[in-house]
Amino acid sequence: MKSLTLTVSLPAHQHAPSSKRLLGLPFELRNLIYYHVLVDVPKHSRTHDQDCHFRQNHTRNSIEPAACHVLELAVNLVPSQALCPWDEPLQCRCAKRTTLNLLLACRQLHREAAPVFWSANTFVFDHPDEFALCVGARLREAYRPLLRHVYIASPDGWDTCTRTHTNLFTDTRIAQKGGIPRWLQFWGVLKQCRGMRTLAVRPEVVKRHAADMASLRDWMPELRRLELTWVGKYKDHMVSWERDWGSFRACTTLQRHTVFARATQVVDFRGAGADFSKERCKNLYRDFTTNFCVYVDSIVRERFLGCDLEQDRDWIFLHDGRMAAGLDDARTSYRVALPTGEKTRVTFMAVPQSQRTRVRLMRARLAREAELKARGRPTAAEEQVLKEIKKRRAANKSREADEEACEREKTLSARRAREEERREEERRERERKKAELGRAVEAAKEERRTGRKRVVKRRSVEREMGEVPI
C-alpha cells in the first residue's frame, strides 16, 4: 500500500529565508525579472521624462531635442563631441540606464544577469572609434561574444581618412611607417563579437576593407542583418549662423531649432552575388553616399520639412507651419519609397510636441501645482521666482560688497597717494637742503680759494717791492 502525502502550505513567516529572496526563486522567473529590469529600448529611441526641463515650455512648432543628443556623458570617447572649458552645456540624464546597479548586487546575480543584459539590448554608438574603445578596452573579453545588436550612427561628416598613426587603446603613436589602415582596430574588435545578430555601421568602415567584409559571414555565422546608417541634421534658418560644431549639448541656441532624422540601407551579404571584392566595397560606399543619402535627404527636406529644392534646398523653416502635418512625437517613423524602387524607414529623433502631449503635460503640471498648494508648498514657477529672487539678492550683496571693496580701495589708494606725496615732499626738502648745503660749501671753498690767491698776490708784491733799491 502506497503511503499518502499531504502538502500543507506554510505561513509566510515559516518559509526558509533563501526562498524569500531573489536568488531563491526558480531560474526561469529570475531570467524574466532580469529581462524586464535590464532590457530597455535603444538609446536613440528613448524620450525625456515628464518632469525634464526639455519637455516644458513648448509651443506648437518648437522642437523637443532628442534625449540621446543632450545626454550628460560620464565619459566622452568621441573627440569631436568634447566640451570646451568655457562651454555651459544644457543637458539631462533621461536617456541613461537606471537599473544597472542590479548587476552589482552579488557575483552570482551578475553571472546570471549579465548575459541577459548584453545579449538582449541594442547598444548605440556615435562613432566606430567609440565602439572600439568601449568594447575592445572596457568590456570583458568573455562578454564580447554575447553582444547581439550594435548600432553605430552619427550626424557628423564621413571620416574619409585612409590611414592612422594612433593606437586607440593606448593613445600612443604607431611607429610603423605610413601607419595602419584607419579602421583596422575597429574590425579587430568587431570580429570578437561572434554572436552578433544585427549590425548597423557607418559607411566609411566598409570602403577599403573588402577582406573583412568577405570574412564577415565566417566570423559572425549568426548575423542576420547588416545595415549602413545615415543621420541628417536640419537647422532652422534663424540659427543658421549659430555655432553647430562640437558637442550638441553645448549648442544651447540650436537645441530647440534642429531636427534630426535617421535611416538605414540593408546590405545583402549572404546572397549569391554578395562577393565583397575591393571594387564591390567601393561601389557599395559610393552608391550609399551619392544615391541613398541624397535621395533620403531630398525626401526629408521636400516632403517633411517643406523645402523648395529648386529654389534653395538649404533654407529651412521649422517654425512657420511648413513642416508636414502629423510630424510630431505621436508619430516619428515613416516608410518612404526611393527613386530607385527601394523602400526605407525614416525616423525623426527631434520633433515638435503633439497637441495631446502638450495638453497632458499641462494637466500634469496643473495637478502637481494643485497638490503642492494643498500641502502649502511653492509650485515650480514659485520656486523659480524664489530662486531668481535669491539669485538677485546674492547678486545685489555681491555688488554691494564689490562697491564697498572699491570704496575701501579708493580710500586706501588716496591714503597711499597722500603718503607718497608726503614722502616725495620730504625727499624734495632733503634734496633742497642738501643742495643749499652744497652751494654753501662751494661758496666757502671759493672764498678760501680767493683769500689764498689774495695772500699769494700780496706776498709776491711785497717780495718785488723788497728787491727794488732805495
Side-chain angles (χ1 to χ4, degrees):
M1 182 177 178
K2 295 182 179 180
S3 60
L4 299 177
T5 58
L6 181 62
T7 302
V8 180
S9 59
L10 297 176
H13 66 278
Q14 294 184 8
H15 281 281
S18 61
S19 63
K20 300 178 183 179
R21 302 173 183 173
L22 176 61
L23 296 179
L25 298 175
F27 183 70
E28 293 79 5
L29 290 180
R30 295 205 301 271
N31 264 348
L32 289 177
I33 294 174
Y34 299 152
Y35 184 87
H36 286 287
V37 172
L38 297 175
V39 179
D40 200 355
V41 296
K43 181 174 67 174
H44 53 59
S45 299
R46 297 175 197 162
T47 58
H48 293 283
D49 298 333
Q50 295 294 332
D51 56 347
C52 180
H53 59 90
F54 282 108
R55 301 220 75 182
Q56 311 303 323
N57 304 322
H58 277 280
T59 61
R60 184 171 59 89
N61 296 320
S62 61
I63 308 299
E64 179 184 324
C68 60
H69 292 152
V70 292
L71 173 62
E72 180 182 353
L73 301 178
V75 179
N76 181 38
L77 300 177
V78 183
S80 61
Q81 297 182 6
L83 293 174
C84 299
W86 57 84
D87 284 338
E88 296 181 359
L90 188 60
Q91 54 196 358
C92 69
R93 302 172 63 89
C94 298
K96 278 190 176 294
R97 299 181 186 271
T98 58
T99 58
L100 297 185
N101 287 338
L102 179 65
L103 298 174
L104 303 178
C106 66
R107 293 184 180 180
Q108 179 182 349
L109 197 147
H110 185 278
R111 185 169 56 252
E112 294 178 356
V116 177
F117 173 74
W118 294 112
S119 61
N121 281 299
T122 298
F123 296 94
V124 180
F125 302 93
D126 291 335
H127 197 274
D129 289 345
E130 183 185 11
F131 167 81
L133 286 172
C134 288
V135 178
R138 296 174 176 268
L139 184 61
R140 297 179 186 177
E141 187 175 356
Y143 290 156
R144 295 170 193 170
L146 298 178
L147 291 178
R148 298 290 184 266
H149 312 281
V150 170
Y151 187 94
I152 305 174
S154 173
D156 298 337
W158 311 126
D159 193 341
T160 57
C161 298
T162 58
R163 313 286 294 184
T164 182
H165 293 82
T166 304
N167 188 327
L168 291 176
F169 309 109
T170 60
D171 197 19
T172 57
R173 183 174 178 81
I174 298 175
Q176 180 178 343
K177 184 178 180 180
I180 61 175
R182 175 66 179 88
W183 308 112
L184 183 63
Q185 300 172 85
F186 165 78
W187 281 100
V189 175
L190 183 61
K191 289 179 180 179
Q192 300 179 38
C193 308
R194 302 180 64 89
M196 197 75 69
R197 300 292 193 277
T198 60
L199 176 63
V201 296
R202 286 164 59 102
E204 60 263 36
V205 301
V206 305
K207 182 179 181 181
R208 294 179 178 271
H209 289 267
D212 295 316
M213 288 291 293
S215 62
L216 199 60
R217 289 172 291 188
D218 300 330
W219 285 101
M220 301 178 183
E222 299 180 1
L223 184 63
R224 300 191 301 264
R225 190 179 183 88
L226 176 63
E227 298 173 331
L228 300 181
T229 60
W230 167 86
V231 178
K233 181 179 180 181
Y234 305 95
K235 299 188 301 180
D236 188 80
H237 73 286
M238 295 189 304
V239 293
S240 57
W241 305 109
E242 297 288 343
R243 164 197 169 179
D244 62 349
W245 51 268
S247 175
F248 189 71
R249 296 170 291 149
C251 303
T252 56
T253 56
L254 303 180
Q255 291 177 354
R256 297 203 176 196
H257 305 279
T258 307
V259 170
F260 291 88
R262 57 184 172 89
T264 59
Q265 183 185 36
V266 180
V267 178
D268 182 15
F269 67 101
R270 292 192 181 276
D275 55 333
F276 288 100
S277 60
K278 185 176 181 180
E279 190 65 25
R280 168 74 191 284
C281 288
K282 288 185 178 180
N283 291 335
L284 180 64
Y285 174 82
R286 187 183 303 112
D287 175 71
F288 180 79
T289 55
T290 60
N291 292 333
F292 179 85
C293 295
V294 174
Y295 292 151
V296 174
D297 178 72
S298 300
I299 290 174
V300 170
R301 290 177 183 271
E302 183 177 12
R303 176 178 169 183
F304 296 99
L305 302 183
C307 297
D308 189 352
L309 301 183
E310 296 181 358
Q311 297 294 331
D312 192 351
R313 59 181 292 117
D314 296 327
W315 207 245
I316 300 175
F317 297 85
L318 299 178
H319 307 303
D320 61 352
R322 298 190 186 186
M323 294 182 63
L327 180 57
D328 49 35
D329 59 356
R331 183 184 178 187
T332 59
S333 184
Y334 297 84
R335 191 164 182 82
V336 298
L338 305 182
T340 58
E342 301 178 359
K343 291 186 177 181
T344 187
R345 182 167 294 278
V346 178
T347 303
F348 292 87
M349 294 183 288
V351 291
Q353 290 181 350
S354 63
Q355 183 179 2
R356 180 181 300 178
T357 301
R358 296 197 304 273
V359 171
R360 186 179 70 251
L361 291 175
M362 183 183 64
R363 289 178 178 176
R365 179 172 56 83
L366 294 177
R368 287 196 303 269
E369 291 179 356
E371 183 179 357
L372 291 174
K373 287 182 179 179
R375 295 181 180 179
R377 297 182 179 180
T379 62
E382 293 173 349
E383 287 183 354
Q384 187 68 23
V385 172
L386 292 176
K387 288 181 180 179
E388 187 66 24
I389 292 175
K390 290 181 180 179
K391 185 177 179 181
R392 290 184 180 180
R393 287 178 178 175
N396 291 335
K397 288 183 179 180
S398 178
R399 186 176 64 255
E400 291 175 358
D402 292 341
E403 291 177 356
E404 185 178 353
C406 289
E407 290 295 331
R408 288 198 301 267
E409 185 64 27
K410 288 180 181 179
T411 303
L412 293 176
S413 298
R415 187 178 300 173
R416 285 194 294 267
R418 289 194 299 270
E419 186 68 20
E420 289 292 333
E421 186 177 356
R422 184 183 62 79
R423 291 177 181 176
E424 184 67 20
E425 186 67 25
E426 291 179 354
R427 185 183 63 80
R428 287 197 295 266
E429 183 66 21
R430 288 195 300 269
E431 290 180 353
R432 185 180 62 79
K433 290 181 178 181
K434 185 177 180 180
E436 290 179 356
L437 181 61
R439 287 194 296 270
V441 170
E442 289 294 331
K445 288 182 179 180
E446 185 65 25
E447 187 176 353
R448 288 196 298 270
R449 191 181 302 112
T450 304
R452 285 196 298 271
K453 288 182 179 180
R454 191 179 297 113
V455 171
V456 171
K457 185 176 181 180
R458 188 175 61 249
R459 288 180 180 177
S460 62
V461 171
E462 290 178 353
R463 190 179 303 112
E464 290 177 357
M465 292 296 293
E467 293 178 355
V468 176
I470 299 176

